[in-house]
Amino acid sequence: GYGLLPTRKITPPSDIEEIDRDYHLTGGYGGVLLEYINSPRKLLHFTANTLIGIAGITYTDIINKDYDTHKSYPKSISFVVEPCVEMELNVSTAFRMSLGVSYRYSPNFKLRYNEQDNKNAFNGLSVNLGFKFGEFLGYKIKPKEK
């Protein structure tokens, strides 16, 4: 799963009383991650993956932390697909690091603000930094031949 830090500044619908405050998209998404790793035994190699899942996104006033004035705003639950390509480095037999780029696409995203449905507010390009820990299948150090 992924969480969204408060991102793009948006203008809420006019029926919200605190019009003069800054509102931002927030929420999270997750699902199944399918990944292809090319030449996993090489020190530096590329991977391609795709996340297929659902997202729950809303907007919030990030400055207003007072629980007495906390309000619930309309949420959007939508389908999300995020293809990604990465360069991955084998740091050790149990640790890998990666740097990549992905595009998050949510075709049925509908979060009402600014008196309209904005279907592209959740779509976007991302830069990713990843850390993988564990025993990787198919990756074993070959013993030196004598």
Side-chain angles (χ1 to χ4, degrees):
Y2 297 87
L4 281 180
L5 296 174
T7 58
R8 311 171 58 157
K9 184 176 174 182
I10 61 170
T11 304
S14 59
D15 58 343
I16 295 177
E17 291 110 28
E18 297 94 1
I19 296 296
D20 59 337
R21 298 192 180 180
D22 290 337
Y23 291 84
H24 299 264
L25 290 179
T26 187
Y29 63 104
V32 175
L33 182 71
L34 305 171
E35 182 174 41
Y36 168 74
I37 302 172
N38 185 53
S39 303
R41 293 179 187 224
K42 287 187 176 181
L43 179 65
L44 187 64
H45 52 274
F46 82 89
T47 70
N49 63 57
T50 300
L51 178 129
I52 302 169
I54 59 170
I57 307 300
T58 187
Y59 48 91
T60 185
D61 175 0
I62 63 171
I63 297 171
N64 184 11
K65 300 288 186 183
D66 184 2
Y67 289 108
D68 294 337
T69 59
H70 177 73
K71 292 187 177 186
S72 294
Y73 298 106
K75 288 183 183 175
S76 174
I77 305 296
S78 63
F79 173 75
V80 65
V81 174
E82 187 170 7
C84 176
V85 291
E86 298 175 323
M87 288 303 296
E88 192 169 74
L89 175 69
N90 289 335
V91 178
S92 73
T93 57
F95 175 54
R96 294 178 176 176
M97 292 176 58
S98 63
L99 181 64
V101 63
S102 66
Y103 186 80
R104 184 177 51 242
Y105 177 65
S106 187
N108 62 342
F109 178 79
K110 291 182 182 174
L111 184 62
R112 189 173 65 88
Y113 64 88
N114 200 16
E115 302 301 327
Q116 65 183 354
D117 287 337
N118 186 339
K119 295 180 181 181
N120 296 320
F122 188 52
N123 298 346
L125 198 61
S126 296
V127 175
N128 309 305
L129 177 63
F131 302 98
K132 295 179 183 177
F133 299 93
E135 184 177 336
F136 302 108
L137 297 176
Y139 182 76
K140 294 186 182 196
I141 297 176
K142 294 179 183 177
K144 291 183 180 181
E145 294 186 24
K146 294 181 183 182

